[in-house]
Amino acid sequence: MSILVCGSMAYDNIMVFEDRFKNHILPEQIHILNVSFLVPELRRDFGGCAGNIAYNLRLLGSEPLIVATVGDDAGEYRQRLDGLGLNQEYVCHVPGTFTAQAFITTDADDNQITAFHPGAMLFSHQNDVRAARGGRARLAIVAPDGREGMLRHAEGLAEIAVPFMFDPGQALPILSGDELLHCLGLARYCTVNDYEARLMCDKTGQCLESLAAKVEAFVVTLGSKGSRIYAGGDSIEVPAVSPAALVDPTGCGDAYRAGLLHGIEQGWDWLSCGRLASVMGALKISHRGGQNHRPGRAEIEAAFQSAFGSKAIASKLVYS
């Protein structure tokens, strides 16, 4: 039994601007915007929402199955998946395309400007999640991907009765209000950040409370203020975990989602799921890139105990 992780696989090209965007972008001049940022630091990391979420699930001992599309340049990424012991059965090669590429510039305040080439991601609908019917999967997430792929994955998972988390994220601009409501109606859970929650309300014409009532749990991350989980008519406040260092926010949301999914898989209550998610996000943010943190069991347990003064939940972590 596995967790299906539907979403993008991408190469992240990370550039660090050692100043603040606000010092160089003049609000009154944005209609003629023409700026250049000197980025002395450049690196290429493995990323994409599906890749990042699956990586973190593997750290936690879950058995994720990535459902994604890649291009002709995916050889290096495939070798990495092999090294991590991640199943590639549903990683589909689309000839004549590049694997999705993100070009991310981060400033001194951790603000980000991103340019994204979708490449093979636009063909994500070629993967049919219904192939996992017959009890192969117990849980899934539909994370940012090609528009048609996200819609088909949501419908396919509903058809084979696999409960899933809807994570519209960066795909919110390409999904209409009706499409968002359609996916939300098929999902069991939803997770967004605070900005995405506001955008989702604007696009659907519904308030947050109304959206939250459509699923078993609606999770809103609030950055350094923690997160809020709307479930069972309650609003559960989950504090943020203080990281060892604030290095790079890239992939923190994906690490958080992996913590949620692992907790759901283990049958935990929502507060416990949120706490583990916060721990995973904090462990990630102290490392550069979406997949360069490598906490072992002892480190995750120590971080959980330090943050919440309890081993009770940490001791439930399952590792392969």
Side-chain angles (χ1 to χ4, degrees):
M1 297 283 282
S2 301
I3 297 177
L4 290 177
V5 183
C6 308
S8 62
M9 285 180 59
Y11 291 113
D12 288 339
N13 300 279
I14 312 294
M15 295 158 281
V16 179
F17 177 49
E18 297 175 344
D19 199 343
R20 293 170 171 79
F21 295 142
K22 65 182 181 181
N23 295 335
H24 300 266
I25 298 177
L26 304 177
E28 67 276 10
Q29 297 295 322
I30 57 174
H31 64 292
I32 52 171
L33 186 65
N34 186 359
V35 295
S36 176
F37 301 113
L38 179 65
V39 287
E41 182 181 338
L42 168 66
R43 71 183 187 278
R44 194 184 197 206
D45 288 327
F46 299 101
C49 294
N52 292 343
I53 293 170
Y55 176 82
N56 284 279
L57 282 170
R58 192 68 180 132
L59 291 176
L60 288 164
S62 292
E63 295 291 339
L65 279 173
I66 299 174
V67 180
T69 44
V70 296
D72 297 333
D73 56 344
E76 188 179 3
Y77 211 146
R78 284 190 176 276
Q79 290 177 9
R80 175 174 176 79
L81 296 181
D82 282 337
L84 293 169
L86 288 169
N87 189 306
Q88 299 185 50
E89 181 179 353
Y90 300 118
V91 177
C92 176
H93 172 223
V94 183
T97 67
F98 288 107
T99 300
Q101 310 269 333
F103 299 87
I104 304 167
T105 304
T106 301
D107 76 356
D109 289 331
D110 287 333
N111 296 308
Q112 293 182 329
I113 296 176
T114 300
F116 188 76
H117 171 68
M121 196 182 81
L122 292 178
F123 300 88
S124 59
H125 56 278
Q126 293 184 2
N127 273 339
D128 190 347
V129 295
R130 293 176 299 177
R133 69 173 74 244
R136 183 78 185 273
R138 74 178 81 189
L139 181 64
I141 182 170
V142 176
D145 208 344
R147 173 186 165 276
E148 187 177 351
M150 293 183 73
L151 295 173
R152 288 194 62 181
H153 293 335
E155 292 166 354
L157 290 166
E159 182 178 330
I160 61 174
V162 173
F164 72 92
M165 178 176 291
F166 181 45
D167 172 22
Q170 303 99 313
L172 270 166
I174 63 174
L175 293 170
S176 70
D178 287 341
E179 288 167 340
L180 289 169
L181 290 173
H182 177 60
C183 290
L184 198 61
L186 298 173
R188 184 170 296 182
Y189 322 103
C190 181
T191 179
V192 290
N193 64 31
D194 50 349
Y195 173 78
E196 292 161 356
R198 291 193 296 271
L199 181 57
M200 199 169 180
C201 290
D202 289 344
K203 296 198 74 167
T204 62
Q206 298 195 19
C207 66
L208 183 58
E209 290 72 18
S210 177
L211 295 176
K214 299 180 186 301
V215 288
E216 183 177 314
F218 195 99
V219 184
V220 181
T221 59
L222 306 168
S224 62
K225 296 179 181 178
S227 55
R228 185 174 298 120
I229 302 175
Y230 299 90
D234 295 326
S235 176
I236 303 166
E237 301 293 331
V238 181
V241 173
S242 298
L246 291 171
V247 176
D248 182 5
T250 306
C252 285
D254 296 327
Y256 182 97
R257 283 149 179 75
L260 285 178
L261 290 167
H262 184 79
I264 294 170
E265 181 188 29
Q266 299 303 311
W268 296 359
D269 62 83
W270 282 111
L271 179 59
S272 300
C273 291
R275 285 176 169 178
L276 178 61
S278 290
V279 167
M280 295 303 293
L283 290 172
K284 206 301 324 157
I285 203 171
S286 60
H287 296 77
R288 297 194 183 281
Q291 299 178 26
N292 294 322
H293 54 300
R294 300 179 182 177
R297 174 175 183 149
E299 185 176 350
I300 295 175
E301 290 182 343
F304 197 104
Q305 183 178 18
S306 175
F308 303 110
S310 171
K311 288 185 178 180
I313 300 302
S315 65
K316 296 180 183 178
L317 296 175
V318 178
Y319 294 83
S320 60

